């Protein structure tokens, strides 16, 4: 199988997986905590009434935080099931079934946040997704991005397994089981390179590990340095 076909299949599997879990997604305990504070900080950097694009928003886990800060939120997601749950919250000013790779917003929002989702984006698509996120925010505007991290020996073992199965994977990619979705762990250095290439300056950075120490999230507050 060629890599492009394999990645298209992985993206379809990811969408189906989120559609399948959407209805009870919000009832699951989420074992990391820094996101909410970063969302509040992002909201505080834009004027009251300003609009944050939550891309992808999933079920709208952070909509209430944005609303409590007196800011508005718009959401996109490629999973209709997750968006249906987001719609039930009745908070977002707009919601659209749309992929990160297909977004064509141009200076339409005061801020952008991409929370716990870039792990589903393959390396080939990182530059276009970062460009789409950067273009969505007004020139000089703030962005909040999380990047999932996995212990390096687990990354290596997953790659060895995918390669042994003859799949066209690159190091950093992890598929749980035979059909479940897709994860890609680029590592901090590669991410910093992509951010710099897109003119996204790091304003603040933090890291939090999950309970077993095998994985965690790196948090980036960013500012678009492009006019
Ligand atoms: C772990 S959930 C996080 C959702 C939300 N940001 C949150 O923090 O609760 C990941 C979300 O990313 C969405 N997603 C994955 N790949 C995507 C893509 N290429 N374009 C748009 N949405 C995507 C999934 O449908 C899912 O809703």
């Amino acid at each position: 199988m060629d890599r492009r076909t394999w990645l298209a299949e992985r993206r379809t599997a990811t969408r189906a997986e989120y559609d399948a879990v959407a209805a009870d997604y919000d009832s699951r305990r989420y074992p990391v905590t820094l996101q909410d504070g970063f969302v509040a900080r992002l909201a505080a950097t834009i004027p009251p009434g300003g609009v944050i694009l939550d891309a992808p928003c999933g079920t709208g886990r952070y909509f209430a935080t944005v609303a409590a800060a007196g800011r508005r939120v718009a959401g996109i997601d490629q999973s209709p099931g997750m968006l249906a749950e987001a719609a039930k919250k009745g908070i977002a000013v707009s919601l659209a079934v749309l992929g990160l790779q297909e977004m064509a917003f141009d200076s339409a929002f005061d801020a952008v946040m991409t929370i716990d989702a870039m792990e589903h984006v393959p390396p080939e698509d990182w530059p276009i997704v970062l460009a789409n996120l950067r273009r969505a925010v007004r020139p000089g505007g703030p962005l909040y991005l999380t990047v999932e991290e996995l212990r390096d020996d687990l990354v290596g073992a997953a790659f060895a397994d995918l390669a042994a199965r003859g799949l066209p994977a690159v190091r950093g990619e992890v598929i749980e089981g035979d059909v479940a979705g897709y994860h890609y762990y680029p590592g901090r250095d590669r991410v910093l390179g992509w951010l710099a290439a897109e003119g996204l300056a790091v304003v603040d950075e933090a890291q939090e590990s999950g309970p077993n120490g095998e994985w965690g999230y790196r948090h980036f507050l960013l500012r678009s340095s492009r006019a």
Side-chain angles (χ1 to χ4, degrees):
M1 186 187 301
D2 69 278
R3 182 164 164 81
R4 185 186 290 263
T5 305
W6 183 67
L7 287 176
E9 283 185 11
R10 294 297 91 222
R11 191 169 173 194
T12 299
T14 301
R15 186 183 299 119
E17 192 171 86
Y18 278 107
D19 279 342
V21 301
D24 73 344
Y25 187 83
D26 282 348
S27 65
R28 298 170 179 207
R29 200 180 73 81
Y30 207 65
V32 281
T33 59
L34 293 186
Q35 285 85 339
D36 218 41
F38 270 96
V39 172
R41 281 178 67 188
L42 182 76
T45 63
I46 66 169
V51 183
I52 299 177
L53 174 66
D54 189 353
C57 63
T59 58
R61 186 189 294 273
Y62 301 103
F63 285 1
T65 304
V66 175
R71 275 67 175 173
R72 294 177 292 159
V73 65
I76 67 101
D77 200 289
Q78 71 176 11
S79 159
M82 295 291 272
L83 274 182
E85 296 303 314
K88 287 180 191 170
K89 296 193 166 67
I91 295 175
V93 294
S94 67
L95 293 171
V97 179
L98 187 61
L100 290 165
Q101 288 88 334
E102 289 77 38
M103 286 195 327
F105 300 113
D106 196 344
S107 300
F109 300 98
D110 298 292
V112 171
M113 57 190 193
T114 299
I115 305 173
D116 306 358
M118 287 303 285
E119 57 268 26
H120 299 306
V121 175
E124 289 90 333
D125 291 354
W126 262 79
I128 182 72
V129 168
L130 288 182
N132 290 348
L133 294 170
R134 198 264 309 149
R135 198 185 338 98
V137 75
R138 301 191 205 297
L143 300 91
Y144 167 45
L145 184 83
T146 71
V147 180
E148 190 173 349
E149 296 179 324
L150 183 68
R151 225 175 54 206
D152 196 59
D153 60 311
L154 299 176
V155 169
F159 177 55
D161 175 56
L162 292 171
R165 288 158 57 192
L167 294 167
V170 297
R171 196 178 195 284
E173 291 177 324
V174 177
I175 313 298
E176 286 159 6
D178 285 338
V179 290
Y182 171 93
H183 279 71
Y184 172 61
Y185 302 95
R188 179 176 181 269
D189 289 349
R190 196 152 192 212
V191 170
L192 289 177
W194 279 322
L195 294 175
E198 191 46 47
L200 292 167
V202 177
V203 174
D204 196 12
E205 181 181 344
Q207 198 277 342
E208 181 182 25
S209 294
N212 63 12
E214 291 183 353
W215 63 277
Y217 275 107
R218 193 165 289 276
H219 304 255
F220 291 102
L221 267 187
L222 306 167
R223 190 161 287 280
S224 165
S225 59
R226 290 200 181 163

